[in-house]
Amino acid sequence: TNEIVSENDYINEGCLPVYAQGLSSGGHFVSSILPNAMKALNLQDLRGYLSQISVPADKERIEDIPAVFITMNRDTKIEKPVALAVRKMNSKIGETKALHIKLPPIPLTDTFFSDRIGGYYSAEISTEMVRSLHNCDIINDSNEIIRNPRKPEKKPKWKNCLKRFASASADSMVSDESPLAEVLNTAFGMHESSRDGVKEALTFLKDRAGNPKISDCNKK
């Protein structure tokens, strides 16, 4: 097809579209600093960016490039300013080139742990773990975590509840180190990185960015 030929032409020229993704302070970097920096250095133009859990700067120069912001519903400090910024960006540009993806808390289905960190827990063990969390009153009837796993506590309830499973998989249960702790943090959904929404974001960027001009790829 013409589309395949066109894409092959870009590959042969070493001219694939350039996108950027940043998390938290990195999200501010890709949305507020990188687009102009690439222009100033005469590099290939940035075709779009994905910013996770980060608020655009108040005085940010709004670029006419596609942008996606991913926030978490419980992180209202970030979610509300991003919603306002996206409305302003689309209003200024005059078309939908900015997208706001909002992530709700993730229900812990029976296969939650095996789906997300299957290298550590089987589907059968995952079901047992979710049942234990119910018995410990850590998740509600909607299978959502009630209490932020990151909240400092001398004896975190979730750790006591899942200790035997973590020990069997050599999981340290240490925040920012433990796979188990990280997926629980993401499920609670306060201020975390997440794979959820990324595919939708990349599809949005690709559909709206188009391909760069071959001449732009010769920039050094």
Side-chain angles (χ1 to χ4, degrees), residues 63-78:
E63 298 293 330
D64 185 18
I65 60 175
V68 180
F69 297 87
I70 296 179
T71 63
M72 294 184 158
N73 290 357
R74 279 180 165 147
D75 192 5
T76 55
K77 184 178 179 181
I78 300 293

Side-chain angles (χ1 to χ4, degrees), residues 49-209:
Y49 61 80
L50 165 57
S51 172
Q52 286 200 44
I53 56 174
S54 177
V55 178
D58 292 338
K59 297 181 179 180
E60 175 187 357
R61 176 184 174 188
I62 298 176
E63 298 293 330
D64 185 18
I65 60 175
V68 180
F69 297 87
I70 296 179
T71 63
M72 294 184 158
N73 290 357
R74 279 180 165 147
D75 192 5
T76 55
K77 184 178 179 181
I78 300 293
E79 190 272 335
K80 291 181 178 179
V82 166
L84 178 60
V86 167
R87 287 197 296 271
K88 287 183 176 179
M89 291 171 75
N90 286 331
S91 174
K92 180 173 181 178
I93 295 172
E95 58 181 298
T96 305
K97 279 201 171 182
L99 175 67
H100 183 191
I101 298 175
K102 305 175 185 180
L103 301 181
I106 303 171
L108 273 64
T109 60
D110 285 347
T111 58
F112 173 80
F113 295 103
S114 56
D115 288 343
R116 295 201 168 238
I117 44 177
Y120 294 87
Y121 306 103
S122 67
E124 181 180 1
I125 294 298
S126 178
T127 299
E128 291 185 35
M129 294 168 73
V130 173
R131 186 180 301 119
S132 293
L133 290 171
H134 268 296
N135 293 337
C136 294
D137 294 324
I138 292 172
I139 56 180
N140 59 24
D141 291 340
S142 298
N143 284 357
E144 294 179 358
I145 299 176
I146 299 170
R147 190 179 184 85
N148 190 345
R150 284 194 181 276
K151 187 171 182 178
E153 295 177 302
K154 288 184 178 180
K155 294 182 179 180
K157 197 173 181 180
W158 73 266
K159 289 187 178 181
N160 291 332
C161 189
L162 298 179
K163 185 176 180 179
R164 67 186 178 92
F165 302 104
S167 297
S169 65
D171 190 307
S172 68
M173 305 182 85
V174 175
S175 184
D176 298 324
E177 175 184 304
S178 157
L180 180 55
E182 288 304 294
V183 294
L184 287 174
N185 292 337
T186 301
F188 183 78
M190 176 56 76
H191 189 81
E192 305 291 336
S193 62
S194 177
R195 70 185 187 187
D196 299 292
V198 172
K199 183 177 181 180
E200 179 186 353
L202 295 178
T203 299
F204 178 89
L205 293 177
K206 181 180 178 182
D207 288 347
R208 283 157 179 76

